[in-house]
Amino acid sequence: MQLKFCTICGLLGGVLSWCFGSWDAALQALIICMGIDYLSGVLVAGVFRHSLKSENGGLCSRIGFQGLVRKGMILLIVLIAHRLDLIVGGGWIRDGVCAAFLANELVSILENAGMMGIPFPKALQNAIDILKSKGDEKHD
């Protein structure tokens, strides 16, 4: 039983390493922040009922599933960036993609914390507002 478990873990680790490259700080931070963002979004909707994504501010399984699909798509983009790094012989594409998505996750975590009523210094709130408005301009 132990040999089967170790074999499965080894195979899974090998596949993940092939897909995403090394388990470095950029990838770890991105995955941790993705988990925190999703969890904090669920808490905002489930506990505080302040979600901006549902009509009543509460939990909605469809919206939760859409969030997981988005997180999966982010990981697929990181996978593509890693494969591009292998083509060009570097590690900067994947790291850049991880950094860009990490910044987005951090802003979302801070937004969720704000919806929970956690106070922020005015300078930090202004920075978040600026980042959100720049992101909204690109979508218009």
Side-chain angles (χ1 to χ4, degrees):
M1 181 68 178
Q2 183 180 1
L3 180 61
K4 286 183 182 180
F5 178 75
C6 290
T7 302
I8 290 170
C9 288
L11 286 172
L12 182 61
V15 168
L16 291 175
S17 178
W18 178 83
C19 289
F20 299 107
S22 65
W23 183 248
D24 61 358
L27 189 58
Q28 289 174 32
L30 178 61
I31 290 174
I32 288 169
C33 286
M34 287 172 68
I36 292 170
D37 178 44
Y38 188 79
L39 178 63
S40 64
V42 168
L43 291 173
V44 164
V47 175
F48 296 93
R49 303 190 67 76
H50 288 132
S51 175
L52 302 176
K53 297 179 180 173
S54 66
E55 290 180 22
N56 64 357
L59 287 172
C60 176
S61 60
R62 181 180 51 81
I63 293 170
F65 182 69
Q66 287 174 347
L68 289 175
V69 169
R70 284 186 196 101
K71 303 295 184 201
M73 192 65 204
I74 289 171
L75 292 176
L76 289 175
I77 294 169
V78 171
L79 181 148
I80 292 167
H82 171 63
R83 304 316 294 176
L84 291 172
D85 274 341
L86 293 175
I87 292 170
V88 299
W92 53 273
I93 298 172
R94 190 201 70 154
D95 288 347
V97 168
C98 285
F101 282 119
L102 182 59
N104 189 55
E105 296 295 324
L106 290 171
V107 168
S108 182
I109 291 168
L110 291 174
E111 288 175 343
N112 289 341
M115 285 187 267
M116 291 179 188
I118 296 173
F120 291 109
K122 189 66 174 161
L124 182 57
Q125 186 60 49
N126 290 341
I128 293 169
D129 292 341
I130 290 169
L131 288 172
K132 281 177 53 177
S133 68
K134 289 196 182 283
D136 291 343
E137 288 174 8
K138 295 193 191 276
H139 288 64
D140 292 340

